[in-house]
Amino acid sequence: MTPLGWTWALACRRGPSHEKAELRLQDAVKCFVAAAESKPLVIIVSDGAGTASLGGEAASLICRTLSVNARQYFCSSDTLPEDDVLQHWLDDVRAVLSEAASRRNLALRDFAATLILFISSGVESVI
């Protein structure tokens, strides 16, 4: 962390096989400094599973859902989230993906994606 705050860089690129098949980018990312006094950095990265028909959409839903949860959490807390809070966030993600699958009459596995969540106050971190 710099004296003035966090600095980061990120990039996403659609791979050659996705370009050739005219598929959308399957990655999603959210990176922000939360509104808490400690100015924690929140990074959420998700990549749609190659075998999932809507993996890219799942990655976007995952990042959006966790971003909303983290922003709401840090509006009223200046400590890093405990395991029970993180579990609740993951339960929210599963519910959102399940609802998206249900609306389309698809299986939840059609919305498979990876997830990396990193939160740091600069003194301690949650991964």
Side-chain angles (χ1 to χ4, degrees), residues 50-118:
T51 59
S53 61
L54 292 171
E57 184 172 337
S60 295
L61 289 169
I62 289 167
C63 286
R64 185 178 316 123
T65 302
L66 288 174
S67 176
V68 167
N69 277 295
R71 288 179 192 276
Q72 288 175 343
Y73 174 82
F74 284 114
C75 282
S76 61
S77 180
D78 195 36
T79 62
L80 295 184
E82 300 280 332
D83 288 348
D84 62 324
V85 172
L86 295 170
Q87 185 61 54
H88 177 73
W89 295 359
L90 293 175
D91 291 344
D92 283 351
V93 166
R94 285 186 195 99
V96 166
L97 294 177
S98 182
E99 175 63 25
S102 177
R103 280 195 317 265
R104 292 171 178 83
N105 293 321
L106 296 171
L108 185 56
R109 69 178 169 271
D110 291 315
F111 287 82
T114 62
L115 165 64
I116 299 171
L117 171 64
F118 174 81

Side-chain angles (χ1 to χ4, degrees), residues 24-66:
R24 65 170 269 189
L25 180 69
Q26 301 293 306
D27 306 334
V29 63
K30 294 279 187 179
C31 186
F32 59 91
V33 176
E37 186 177 326
S38 63
K39 304 281 189 242
L41 177 66
V42 178
I43 302 172
I44 308 159
V45 179
S46 184
D47 181 15
T51 59
S53 61
L54 292 171
E57 184 172 337
S60 295
L61 289 169
I62 289 167
C63 286
R64 185 178 316 123
T65 302
L66 288 174

